[in-house]
Amino acid sequence: MDVLLVFGTRPEAIKMAPVYRALREGPLRPIVAVTAQHREMLDQVLELFQIPVAYDLNIMREGQSLTQVTGLVLGGLAQVLEEVRPRLVLVHGDTTTTFAASLAAFYQQIPVGHVEAGLRSHDPYNPYPEEMNRRLTGSLAALHFCPTPLARENLCRESVAPDRIYVTGNTVIDALLSIVEEDYQFQDPTLRSLDFAGRRVLVATAHRRENWGGPLRDIMLALKDLADRFPDVEVVFPVHRNPQVREPAQAILGGAPRVHLIPPLPYGEFANLLARCHLVLTDSGGLQEEAPALGKPVLVLREKTERPEGVAAGTVRLAGTRRETVLQEAERLLVDSEEYGRMARAVNPYGDGMAAARIHQALLHYFGLGERPLDFRPGEEG
Ligand code: UD1
Ligand code: UDP
């Protein structure tokens, strides 16, 4: 009863860690293959959650292209699948690892379980290439683990058989709840030196392909403007290792007063920073799920989101990527405490911390070893 978990980037690892832990309880046997589409950022997570890796394709290259990643994953995984012959392959989300791993499994007629299935922006170039990666993976998958009822509706509209869909909540909430601690002590020297009581700490991240170039520069200029205009604001920006992000970040924000450019933080440090910050500005997918659970308002630095639940709940707002608009939206939250208060409420549209247990139960159900789990319903206890 081997189940092969395949992932390759930081967010996939964070979100698959709870699944690995749940499956380890048996009777299924989880085996982990990493593509290492990311290297250092992946290793940080593997180390934190102590995930033993059986196969490591080690494919990352500096400035890699989508085609390179797809080819290396497809080729590398074919051999692993031939050797392991798992009963099922589990993939996560919308990266190129996700899509190529699903295709590799399909070619060997091994069923695929898709974790975090059914998110849709309905625009193939936004986010790019993730929207298409997710749709293609959905077409290849035999089982779909949807984080929310809306994701389930998206799949039903695409004629996916309802009995192959489980609504589980998002496993990122499981990971987050296991990591955030009230009396956490930061290791990172920048975070240790921040005065969280006396200053308003803004957390910023950006890396999306569709933002490379002009939009990313605009976002960075808006962050600089914010730090200039508000003397009690500190911006913490852990910079993604992609050269397309690192280079403009250094050029525009390097040396800017009260803007802290730091390398990617280990998840424990980052999650606890989120829990203590004032406001989040990001184009990340995962942060749109984590920050609402922690009661932190999020300005999403994108034109579209495949995660509308946070927007509907009122804690997430689409701010776009134009310098003026981002600045305006952030200023509004920094000067208007009532508006800030309306957004800074803890809501859990994405999960209750039990997603991995539901996925485990769903797999047992699929293999005829247990009952179908009850669906996750936002707003109710798990
Ligand atoms: C990838 C995913 C994206 C996901 C993001 C999470 C695709 C197409 N993109 O984008 O969906 O949101 O990961 O962060 O699958 N690099 C390092 N060290 C690392 C990681 C990256 O040096 O640990 C650098 C390398 O130069 C690498 C580059 O970043 O070539 C880009 O990595 P890649 O995985 O291709 O794209 P991301 O932008 O990280
Ligand atoms: N994250 C982290 N360290 C950082 C920045 C982010 O551990 O310095 C975590 C964050 O909490 C979230 C995930 O990485 O769980 C998001 O990853 P990313 O933004 O790279 O990808 P996306 O979610 O956009 O696919």
Side-chain angles (χ1 to χ4, degrees), residues 10-11 14-15 38 41 44-45 94-95 172 205 207-208 238 240 263-268 270-271 274 282-287 290 302 307:
R10 168 175 67 190
I14 292 170
K15 291 168 163 185
H38 284 174
M41 287 161 61
Q44 282 181 329
V45 185
D94 58 12
T95 71
V172 79
T205 79
H207 69 82
R208 300 238 79 82
H240 193 290
L265 286 165
Y267 186 57
F270 189 77
L274 274 186
T282 187
D283 67 6
S284 157
L287 262 75
E290 292 164 320
R302 299 189 189 188
R307 294 170 165 89

PDB file of all heavy atoms in Angstrom, residues 10-11 14-15 38 41 44-45 94-95 172 205 207-208 238 240 263-268 270-271 274 282-287 290 302 307, ligand 2:
ATOM      1  N   ARG A  10       8.935  25.100  -2.001  1.00  0.00           N
ATOM      2  CA  ARG A  10       8.655  25.417  -0.589  1.00  0.00           C
ATOM      3  C   ARG A  10       7.181  25.258  -0.222  1.00  0.00           C
ATOM      4  O   ARG A  10       6.865  24.526   0.745  1.00  0.00           O
ATOM      5  CB  ARG A  10       9.123  26.848  -0.292  1.00  0.00           C
ATOM      6  CG  ARG A  10       8.630  27.385   1.049  1.00  0.00           C
ATOM      7  CD  ARG A  10       9.201  28.741   1.361  1.00  0.00           C
ATOM      8  NE  ARG A  10       8.739  29.783   0.463  1.00  0.00           N
ATOM      9  CZ  ARG A  10       9.236  31.017   0.420  1.00  0.00           C
ATOM     10  NH1 ARG A  10      10.235  31.347   1.220  1.00  0.00           N
ATOM     11  NH2 ARG A  10       8.761  31.915  -0.408  1.00  0.00           N
ATOM     12  N   PRO A  11       6.254  25.926  -0.952  1.00  0.00           N
ATOM     13  CA  PRO A  11       4.864  25.826  -0.472  1.00  0.00           C
ATOM     14  C   PRO A  11       4.301  24.414  -0.541  1.00  0.00           C
ATOM     15  O   PRO A  11       3.507  24.019   0.332  1.00  0.00           O
ATOM     16  CB  PRO A  11       4.096  26.780  -1.396  1.00  0.00           C
ATOM     17  CG  PRO A  11       4.962  26.967  -2.585  1.00  0.00           C
ATOM     18  CD  PRO A  11       6.372  26.843  -2.093  1.00  0.00           C
ATOM     19  N   ILE A  14       5.533  22.606   2.586  1.00  0.00           N
ATOM     20  CA  ILE A  14       4.831  23.036   3.814  1.00  0.00           C
ATOM     21  C   ILE A  14       3.457  22.377   3.879  1.00  0.00           C
ATOM     22  O   ILE A  14       3.017  21.890   4.921  1.00  0.00           O
ATOM     23  CB  ILE A  14       4.691  24.585   3.833  1.00  0.00           C
ATOM     24  CG1 ILE A  14       6.065  25.235   4.003  1.00  0.00           C
ATOM     25  CG2 ILE A  14       3.722  25.040   4.929  1.00  0.00           C
ATOM     26  CD1 ILE A  14       6.087  26.745   3.792  1.00  0.00           C
ATOM     27  N   LYS A  15       2.784  22.323   2.720  1.00  0.00           N
ATOM     28  CA  LYS A  15       1.402  21.851   2.695  1.00  0.00           C
ATOM     29  C   LYS A  15       1.303  20.330   2.616  1.00  0.00           C
ATOM     30  O   LYS A  15       0.249  19.765   2.915  1.00  0.00           O
ATOM     31  CB  LYS A  15       0.671  22.518   1.533  1.00  0.00           C
ATOM     32  CG  LYS A  15       0.477  24.029   1.772  1.00  0.00           C
ATOM     33  CD  LYS A  15       0.015  24.745   0.517  1.00  0.00           C
ATOM     34  CE  LYS A  15      -0.564  26.111   0.816  1.00  0.00           C
ATOM     35  NZ  LYS A  15      -1.126  26.749  -0.397  1.00  0.00           N
ATOM     36  N   HIS A  38      12.816  23.589  -6.188  1.00  0.00           N
ATOM     37  CA  HIS A  38      13.536  24.501  -5.285  1.00  0.00           C
ATOM     38  C   HIS A  38      14.594  23.688  -4.562  1.00  0.00           C
ATOM     39  O   HIS A  38      14.380  22.507  -4.299  1.00  0.00           O
ATOM     40  CB  HIS A  38      12.595  25.091  -4.237  1.00  0.00           C
ATOM     41  CG  HIS A  38      11.692  26.166  -4.759  1.00  0.00           C
ATOM     42  ND1 HIS A  38      10.701  26.722  -3.987  1.00  0.00           N
ATOM     43  CD2 HIS A  38      11.622  26.788  -5.967  1.00  0.00           C
ATOM     44  CE1 HIS A  38      10.063  27.645  -4.699  1.00  0.00           C
ATOM     45  NE2 HIS A  38      10.591  27.697  -5.902  1.00  0.00           N
ATOM     46  N   MET A  41      15.173  26.467  -0.398  1.00  0.00           N
ATOM     47  CA  MET A  41      13.864  26.790   0.186  1.00  0.00           C
ATOM     48  C   MET A  41      13.057  25.530   0.479  1.00  0.00           C
ATOM     49  O   MET A  41      12.210  25.517   1.368  1.00  0.00           O
ATOM     50  CB  MET A  41      13.094  27.738  -0.757  1.00  0.00           C
ATOM     51  CG  MET A  41      13.670  29.152  -0.741  1.00  0.00           C
ATOM     52  SD  MET A  41      13.204  30.169  -2.167  1.00  0.00           S
ATOM     53  CE  MET A  41      11.439  30.222  -2.027  1.00  0.00           C
ATOM     54  N   GLN A  44      14.838  23.792   3.724  1.00  0.00           N
ATOM     55  CA  GLN A  44      14.440  24.423   5.002  1.00  0.00           C
ATOM     56  C   GLN A  44      13.200  23.732   5.579  1.00  0.00           C
ATOM     57  O   GLN A  44      13.097  23.524   6.781  1.00  0.00           O
ATOM     58  CB  GLN A  44      14.073  25.898   4.756  1.00  0.00           C
ATOM     59  CG  GLN A  44      15.250  26.843   4.597  1.00  0.00           C
ATOM     60  CD  GLN A  44      14.775  28.288   4.370  1.00  0.00           C
ATOM     61  OE1 GLN A  44      13.724  28.528   3.802  1.00  0.00           O
ATOM     62  NE2 GLN A  44      15.572  29.241   4.824  1.00  0.00           N
ATOM     63  N   VAL A  45      12.261  23.385   4.689  1.00  0.00           N
ATOM     64  CA  VAL A  45      10.992  22.794   5.162  1.00  0.00           C
ATOM     65  C   VAL A  45      11.183  21.321   5.524  1.00  0.00           C
ATOM     66  O   VAL A  45      10.657  20.849   6.534  1.00  0.00           O
ATOM     67  CB  VAL A  45       9.887  22.942   4.087  1.00  0.00           C
ATOM     68  CG1 VAL A  45       8.563  22.436   4.626  1.00  0.00           C
ATOM     69  CG2 VAL A  45       9.770  24.383   3.609  1.00  0.00           C
ATOM     70  N   ASP A  94      -0.274  23.593  -7.723  1.00  0.00           N
ATOM     71  CA  ASP A  94      -0.280  24.128  -9.087  1.00  0.00           C
ATOM     72  C   ASP A  94       1.091  24.430  -9.658  1.00  0.00           C
ATOM     73  O   ASP A  94       1.221  25.241 -10.575  1.00  0.00           O
ATOM     74  CB  ASP A  94      -1.114  25.415  -9.098  1.00  0.00           C
ATOM     75  CG  ASP A  94      -0.569  26.456  -8.128  1.00  0.00           C
ATOM     76  OD1 ASP A  94       0.559  26.277  -7.625  1.00  0.00           O
ATOM     77  OD2 ASP A  94      -1.273  27.449  -7.866  1.00  0.00           O
ATOM     78  N   THR A  95       2.124  23.830  -9.119  1.00  0.00           N
ATOM     79  CA  THR A  95       3.454  24.141  -9.661  1.00  0.00           C
ATOM     80  C   THR A  95       3.739  23.260 -10.877  1.00  0.00           C
ATOM     81  O   THR A  95       2.970  22.348 -11.198  1.00  0.00           O
ATOM     82  CB  THR A  95       4.567  23.898  -8.625  1.00  0.00           C
ATOM     83  OG1 THR A  95       4.690  22.487  -8.449  1.00  0.00           O
ATOM     84  CG2 THR A  95       4.262  24.555  -7.293  1.00  0.00           C
ATOM     85  N   VAL A 172      -2.424  23.778   4.787  1.00  0.00           N
ATOM     86  CA  VAL A 172      -1.533  24.832   5.280  1.00  0.00           C
ATOM     87  C   VAL A 172      -1.973  25.283   6.668  1.00  0.00           C
ATOM     88  O   VAL A 172      -1.145  25.700   7.486  1.00  0.00           O
ATOM     89  CB  VAL A 172      -1.466  26.039   4.303  1.00  0.00           C
ATOM     90  CG1 VAL A 172      -2.667  26.954   4.427  1.00  0.00           C
ATOM     91  CG2 VAL A 172      -0.179  26.836   4.505  1.00  0.00           C
ATOM     92  N   THR A 205       5.999  39.963   0.588  1.00  0.00           N
ATOM     93  CA  THR A 205       6.678  38.970  -0.255  1.00  0.00           C
ATOM     94  C   THR A 205       6.147  39.125  -1.677  1.00  0.00           C
ATOM     95  O   THR A 205       5.012  39.562  -1.882  1.00  0.00           O
ATOM     96  CB  THR A 205       6.446  37.494   0.177  1.00  0.00           C
ATOM     97  OG1 THR A 205       5.158  37.045  -0.263  1.00  0.00           O
ATOM     98  CG2 THR A 205       6.592  37.277   1.668  1.00  0.00           C
ATOM     99  N   HIS A 207       6.826  37.196  -5.799  1.00  0.00           N
ATOM    100  CA  HIS A 207       7.634  36.338  -6.668  1.00  0.00           C
ATOM    101  C   HIS A 207       6.945  35.918  -7.955  1.00  0.00           C
ATOM    102  O   HIS A 207       7.567  35.335  -8.836  1.00  0.00           O
ATOM    103  CB  HIS A 207       8.048  35.064  -5.911  1.00  0.00           C
ATOM    104  CG  HIS A 207       6.915  34.132  -5.623  1.00  0.00           C
ATOM    105  ND1 HIS A 207       6.438  33.240  -6.548  1.00  0.00           N
ATOM    106  CD2 HIS A 207       6.139  33.978  -4.531  1.00  0.00           C
ATOM    107  CE1 HIS A 207       5.429  32.561  -6.025  1.00  0.00           C
ATOM    108  NE2 HIS A 207       5.215  32.990  -4.810  1.00  0.00           N
ATOM    109  N   ARG A 208       5.666  36.202  -8.132  1.00  0.00           N
ATOM    110  CA  ARG A 208       4.899  35.654  -9.266  1.00  0.00           C
ATOM    111  C   ARG A 208       5.472  36.042 -10.612  1.00  0.00           C
ATOM    112  O   ARG A 208       5.844  37.186 -10.828  1.00  0.00           O
ATOM    113  CB  ARG A 208       3.445  36.149  -9.225  1.00  0.00           C
ATOM    114  CG  ARG A 208       2.665  35.785  -7.992  1.00  0.00           C
ATOM    115  CD  ARG A 208       1.439  34.999  -8.363  1.00  0.00           C
ATOM    116  NE  ARG A 208       1.820  33.638  -8.626  1.00  0.00           N
ATOM    117  CZ  ARG A 208       1.995  32.728  -7.664  1.00  0.00           C
ATOM    118  NH1 ARG A 208       1.817  33.026  -6.401  1.00  0.00           N
ATOM    119  NH2 ARG A 208       2.360  31.513  -7.976  1.00  0.00           N
ATOM    120  N   PRO A 238      11.272  39.167   3.189  1.00  0.00           N
ATOM    121  CA  PRO A 238      12.148  38.018   2.925  1.00  0.00           C
ATOM    122  C   PRO A 238      12.137  37.772   1.410  1.00  0.00           C
ATOM    123  O   PRO A 238      11.099  37.486   0.829  1.00  0.00           O
ATOM    124  CB  PRO A 238      11.473  36.852   3.660  1.00  0.00           C
ATOM    125  CG  PRO A 238      10.345  37.455   4.456  1.00  0.00           C
ATOM    126  CD  PRO A 238       9.999  38.745   3.791  1.00  0.00           C
ATOM    127  N   HIS A 240      12.572  36.193  -2.117  1.00  0.00           N
ATOM    128  CA  HIS A 240      12.614  34.909  -2.826  1.00  0.00           C
ATOM    129  C   HIS A 240      13.955  34.785  -3.552  1.00  0.00           C
ATOM    130  O   HIS A 240      14.495  35.777  -4.043  1.00  0.00           O
ATOM    131  CB  HIS A 240      11.452  34.898  -3.823  1.00  0.00           C
ATOM    132  CG  HIS A 240      11.144  33.561  -4.433  1.00  0.00           C
ATOM    133  ND1 HIS A 240      11.978  32.954  -5.334  1.00  0.00           N
ATOM    134  CD2 HIS A 240      10.088  32.734  -4.283  1.00  0.00           C
ATOM    135  CE1 HIS A 240      11.449  31.795  -5.714  1.00  0.00           C
ATOM    136  NE2 HIS A 240      10.295  31.632  -5.085  1.00  0.00           N
ATOM    137  N   PRO A 263      17.057  37.077   3.599  1.00  0.00           N
ATOM    138  CA  PRO A 263      16.867  35.849   2.821  1.00  0.00           C
ATOM    139  C   PRO A 263      15.578  35.144   3.248  1.00  0.00           C
ATOM    140  O   PRO A 263      15.035  35.445   4.315  1.00  0.00           O
ATOM    141  CB  PRO A 263      18.090  34.991   3.186  1.00  0.00           C
ATOM    142  CG  PRO A 263      19.027  35.888   3.900  1.00  0.00           C
ATOM    143  CD  PRO A 263      18.238  37.011   4.475  1.00  0.00           C
ATOM    144  N   PRO A 264      15.080  34.200   2.433  1.00  0.00           N
ATOM    145  CA  PRO A 264      13.868  33.470   2.808  1.00  0.00           C
ATOM    146  C   PRO A 264      13.998  32.911   4.221  1.00  0.00           C
ATOM    147  O   PRO A 264      15.036  32.355   4.587  1.00  0.00           O
ATOM    148  CB  PRO A 264      13.808  32.327   1.790  1.00  0.00           C
ATOM    149  CG  PRO A 264      14.569  32.822   0.616  1.00  0.00           C
ATOM    150  CD  PRO A 264      15.648  33.720   1.161  1.00  0.00           C
ATOM    151  N   LEU A 265      12.944  33.070   5.005  1.00  0.00           N
ATOM    152  CA  LEU A 265      12.996  32.612   6.402  1.00  0.00           C
ATOM    153  C   LEU A 265      12.543  31.165   6.493  1.00  0.00           C
ATOM    154  O   LEU A 265      11.632  30.751   5.767  1.00  0.00           O
ATOM    155  CB  LEU A 265      12.052  33.461   7.248  1.00  0.00           C
ATOM    156  CG  LEU A 265      12.505  34.880   7.551  1.00  0.00           C
ATOM    157  CD1 LEU A 265      11.328  35.715   8.067  1.00  0.00           C
ATOM    158  CD2 LEU A 265      13.639  34.871   8.578  1.00  0.00           C
ATOM    159  N   PRO A 266      13.116  30.402   7.417  1.00  0.00           N
ATOM    160  CA  PRO A 266      12.549  29.077   7.701  1.00  0.00           C
ATOM    161  C   PRO A 266      11.093  29.256   8.121  1.00  0.00           C
ATOM    162  O   PRO A 266      10.728  30.278   8.701  1.00  0.00           O
ATOM    163  CB  PRO A 266      13.394  28.561   8.871  1.00  0.00           C
ATOM    164  CG  PRO A 266      14.605  29.421   8.904  1.00  0.00           C
ATOM    165  CD  PRO A 266      14.246  30.727   8.280  1.00  0.00           C
ATOM    166  N   TYR A 267      10.257  28.252   7.837  1.00  0.00           N
ATOM    167  CA  TYR A 267       8.813  28.401   8.044  1.00  0.00           C
ATOM    168  C   TYR A 267       8.455  28.759   9.491  1.00  0.00           C
ATOM    169  O   TYR A 267       7.544  29.561   9.728  1.00  0.00           O
ATOM    170  CB  TYR A 267       8.087  27.127   7.607  1.00  0.00           C
ATOM    171  CG  TYR A 267       6.586  27.258   7.657  1.00  0.00           C
ATOM    172  CD1 TYR A 267       5.927  28.255   6.947  1.00  0.00           C
ATOM    173  CD2 TYR A 267       5.819  26.385   8.423  1.00  0.00           C
ATOM    174  CE1 TYR A 267       4.545  28.377   6.990  1.00  0.00           C
ATOM    175  CE2 TYR A 267       4.433  26.497   8.460  1.00  0.00           C
ATOM    176  CZ  TYR A 267       3.805  27.501   7.745  1.00  0.00           C
ATOM    177  OH  TYR A 267       2.436  27.624   7.791  1.00  0.00           O
ATOM    178  N   GLY A 268       9.163  28.187  10.449  1.00  0.00           N
ATOM    179  CA  GLY A 268       8.860  28.484  11.861  1.00  0.00           C
ATOM    180  C   GLY A 268       9.022  29.969  12.149  1.00  0.00           C
ATOM    181  O   GLY A 268       8.186  30.590  12.823  1.00  0.00           O
ATOM    182  N   PHE A 270       8.962  32.388   9.871  1.00  0.00           N
ATOM    183  CA  PHE A 270       8.050  33.185   9.054  1.00  0.00           C
ATOM    184  C   PHE A 270       6.627  33.146   9.602  1.00  0.00           C
ATOM    185  O   PHE A 270       5.954  34.178   9.700  1.00  0.00           O
ATOM    186  CB  PHE A 270       8.081  32.711   7.594  1.00  0.00           C
ATOM    187  CG  PHE A 270       7.319  33.639   6.696  1.00  0.00           C
ATOM    188  CD1 PHE A 270       7.877  34.851   6.306  1.00  0.00           C
ATOM    189  CD2 PHE A 270       6.036  33.338   6.285  1.00  0.00           C
ATOM    190  CE1 PHE A 270       7.168  35.740   5.502  1.00  0.00           C
ATOM    191  CE2 PHE A 270       5.315  34.220   5.477  1.00  0.00           C
ATOM    192  CZ  PHE A 270       5.880  35.421   5.084  1.00  0.00           C
ATOM    193  N   ALA A 271       6.164  31.960   9.975  1.00  0.00           N
ATOM    194  CA  ALA A 271       4.789  31.835  10.480  1.00  0.00           C
ATOM    195  C   ALA A 271       4.625  32.656  11.763  1.00  0.00           C
ATOM    196  O   ALA A 271       3.589  33.313  11.964  1.00  0.00           O
ATOM    197  CB  ALA A 271       4.463  30.363  10.738  1.00  0.00           C
ATOM    198  N   LEU A 274       4.390  36.286  10.876  1.00  0.00           N
ATOM    199  CA  LEU A 274       3.023  36.586  10.417  1.00  0.00           C
ATOM    200  C   LEU A 274       2.090  36.806  11.604  1.00  0.00           C
ATOM    201  O   LEU A 274       1.279  37.723  11.605  1.00  0.00           O
ATOM    202  CB  LEU A 274       2.459  35.407   9.620  1.00  0.00           C
ATOM    203  CG  LEU A 274       2.732  35.288   8.134  1.00  0.00           C
ATOM    204  CD1 LEU A 274       1.921  34.119   7.578  1.00  0.00           C
ATOM    205  CD2 LEU A 274       2.421  36.564   7.384  1.00  0.00           C
ATOM    206  N   THR A 282       1.355  40.967  -0.336  1.00  0.00           N
ATOM    207  CA  THR A 282       1.943  39.771  -0.948  1.00  0.00           C
ATOM    208  C   THR A 282       1.276  39.396  -2.257  1.00  0.00           C
ATOM    209  O   THR A 282       0.098  39.703  -2.467  1.00  0.00           O
ATOM    210  CB  THR A 282       1.833  38.574   0.032  1.00  0.00           C
ATOM    211  OG1 THR A 282       2.551  37.469  -0.505  1.00  0.00           O
ATOM    212  CG2 THR A 282       0.387  38.145   0.255  1.00  0.00           C
ATOM    213  N   ASP A 283       2.024  38.713  -3.128  1.00  0.00           N
ATOM    214  CA  ASP A 283       1.398  38.087  -4.296  1.00  0.00           C
ATOM    215  C   ASP A 283       1.392  36.569  -4.137  1.00  0.00           C
ATOM    216  O   ASP A 283       1.057  35.830  -5.055  1.00  0.00           O
ATOM    217  CB  ASP A 283       2.087  38.512  -5.606  1.00  0.00           C
ATOM    218  CG  ASP A 283       3.518  37.986  -5.742  1.00  0.00           C
ATOM    219  OD1 ASP A 283       3.975  37.194  -4.891  1.00  0.00           O
ATOM    220  OD2 ASP A 283       4.176  38.365  -6.730  1.00  0.00           O
ATOM    221  N   SER A 284       1.755  36.087  -2.947  1.00  0.00           N
ATOM    222  CA  SER A 284       1.824  34.643  -2.677  1.00  0.00           C
ATOM    223  C   SER A 284       0.423  34.037  -2.585  1.00  0.00           C
ATOM    224  O   SER A 284      -0.535  34.715  -2.189  1.00  0.00           O
ATOM    225  CB  SER A 284       2.564  34.434  -1.356  1.00  0.00           C
ATOM    226  OG  SER A 284       2.233  33.190  -0.781  1.00  0.00           O
ATOM    227  N   GLY A 285       0.336  32.754  -2.916  1.00  0.00           N
ATOM    228  CA  GLY A 285      -0.930  32.047  -2.739  1.00  0.00           C
ATOM    229  C   GLY A 285      -1.136  31.666  -1.284  1.00  0.00           C
ATOM    230  O   GLY A 285      -2.166  31.988  -0.673  1.00  0.00           O
ATOM    231  N   GLY A 286      -0.118  31.006  -0.705  1.00  0.00           N
ATOM    232  CA  GLY A 286      -0.246  30.475   0.646  1.00  0.00           C
ATOM    233  C   GLY A 286      -0.529  31.539   1.698  1.00  0.00           C
ATOM    234  O   GLY A 286      -1.309  31.315   2.636  1.00  0.00           O
ATOM    235  N   LEU A 287       0.086  32.706   1.527  1.00  0.00           N
ATOM    236  CA  LEU A 287      -0.124  33.757   2.528  1.00  0.00           C
ATOM    237  C   LEU A 287      -1.570  34.236   2.570  1.00  0.00           C
ATOM    238  O   LEU A 287      -2.057  34.687   3.610  1.00  0.00           O
ATOM    239  CB  LEU A 287       0.816  34.943   2.253  1.00  0.00           C
ATOM    240  CG  LEU A 287       2.067  34.923   3.112  1.00  0.00           C
ATOM    241  CD1 LEU A 287       3.030  33.877   2.607  1.00  0.00           C
ATOM    242  CD2 LEU A 287       2.723  36.275   3.102  1.00  0.00           C
ATOM    243  N   GLU A 290      -3.011  31.784   5.028  1.00  0.00           N
ATOM    244  CA  GLU A 290      -2.507  31.770   6.409  1.00  0.00           C
ATOM    245  C   GLU A 290      -2.917  33.023   7.185  1.00  0.00           C
ATOM    246  O   GLU A 290      -3.338  32.942   8.351  1.00  0.00           O
ATOM    247  CB  GLU A 290      -0.979  31.677   6.397  1.00  0.00           C
ATOM    248  CG  GLU A 290      -0.487  30.345   5.880  1.00  0.00           C
ATOM    249  CD  GLU A 290       0.973  30.376   5.493  1.00  0.00           C
ATOM    250  OE1 GLU A 290       1.424  31.377   4.906  1.00  0.00           O
ATOM    251  OE2 GLU A 290       1.679  29.400   5.769  1.00  0.00           O
ATOM    252  N   ARG A 302      -1.859  41.509  -6.826  1.00  0.00           N
ATOM    253  CA  ARG A 302      -2.223  40.826  -8.059  1.00  0.00           C
ATOM    254  C   ARG A 302      -3.487  41.475  -8.612  1.00  0.00           C
ATOM    255  O   ARG A 302      -4.206  42.146  -7.887  1.00  0.00           O
ATOM    256  CB  ARG A 302      -2.609  39.369  -7.782  1.00  0.00           C
ATOM    257  CG  ARG A 302      -1.605  38.472  -7.178  1.00  0.00           C
ATOM    258  CD  ARG A 302      -2.230  37.104  -7.267  1.00  0.00           C
ATOM    259  NE  ARG A 302      -1.525  36.074  -6.545  1.00  0.00           N
ATOM    260  CZ  ARG A 302      -1.858  34.796  -6.646  1.00  0.00           C
ATOM    261  NH1 ARG A 302      -2.868  34.427  -7.410  1.00  0.00           N
ATOM    262  NH2 ARG A 302      -1.204  33.879  -5.985  1.00  0.00           N
ATOM    263  N   ARG A 307      -8.179  32.509  -5.037  1.00  0.00           N
ATOM    264  CA  ARG A 307      -8.580  32.260  -3.645  1.00  0.00           C
ATOM    265  C   ARG A 307      -9.531  33.377  -3.184  1.00  0.00           C
ATOM    266  O   ARG A 307      -9.142  34.228  -2.366  1.00  0.00           O
ATOM    267  CB  ARG A 307      -7.331  32.219  -2.755  1.00  0.00           C
ATOM    268  CG  ARG A 307      -6.415  31.041  -3.071  1.00  0.00           C
ATOM    269  CD  ARG A 307      -5.082  31.161  -2.360  1.00  0.00           C
ATOM    270  NE  ARG A 307      -4.342  29.927  -2.351  1.00  0.00           N
ATOM    271  CZ  ARG A 307      -3.489  29.544  -3.306  1.00  0.00           C
ATOM    272  NH1 ARG A 307      -3.283  30.307  -4.359  1.00  0.00           N
ATOM    273  NH2 ARG A 307      -2.848  28.394  -3.198  1.00  0.00           N
TER     274      ARG A 307
HETATM  275  N1  UDP B   2       7.199  31.349   3.652  1.00  0.00           N
HETATM  276  C1  UDP B   2       8.307  30.957   4.401  1.00  0.00           C
HETATM  277  N2  UDP B   2       9.399  31.791   4.454  1.00  0.00           N
HETATM  278  C2  UDP B   2       9.420  32.982   3.800  1.00  0.00           C
HETATM  279  C3  UDP B   2       8.296  33.358   3.021  1.00  0.00           C
HETATM  280  C4  UDP B   2       7.202  32.507   2.964  1.00  0.00           C
HETATM  281  O1  UDP B   2       8.309  29.884   5.009  1.00  0.00           O
HETATM  282  O2  UDP B   2      10.429  33.690   3.901  1.00  0.00           O
HETATM  283  C5  UDP B   2       6.029  30.426   3.571  1.00  0.00           C
HETATM  284  C6  UDP B   2       4.662  31.042   3.775  1.00  0.00           C
HETATM  285  O3  UDP B   2       4.285  31.043   5.136  1.00  0.00           O
HETATM  286  C7  UDP B   2       3.753  30.150   2.948  1.00  0.00           C
HETATM  287  C8  UDP B   2       4.669  29.692   1.829  1.00  0.00           C
HETATM  288  O4  UDP B   2       5.998  29.935   2.243  1.00  0.00           O
HETATM  289  O5  UDP B   2       3.346  28.996   3.663  1.00  0.00           O
HETATM  290  C9  UDP B   2       4.362  30.460   0.578  1.00  0.00           C
HETATM  291  O6  UDP B   2       5.315  30.218  -0.378  1.00  0.00           O
HETATM  292  P1  UDP B   2       5.474  31.071  -1.685  1.00  0.00           P
HETATM  293  O7  UDP B   2       4.974  32.464  -1.461  1.00  0.00           O
HETATM  294  O8  UDP B   2       6.876  30.893  -2.129  1.00  0.00           O
HETATM  295  O9  UDP B   2       4.559  30.288  -2.725  1.00  0.00           O
HETATM  296  P2  UDP B   2       3.006  30.364  -3.096  1.00  0.00           P
HETATM  297  O10 UDP B   2       2.207  30.145  -1.877  1.00  0.00           O
HETATM  298  O11 UDP B   2       2.774  31.701  -3.734  1.00  0.00           O
HETATM  299  O12 UDP B   2       2.865  29.261  -4.103  1.00  0.00           O
END
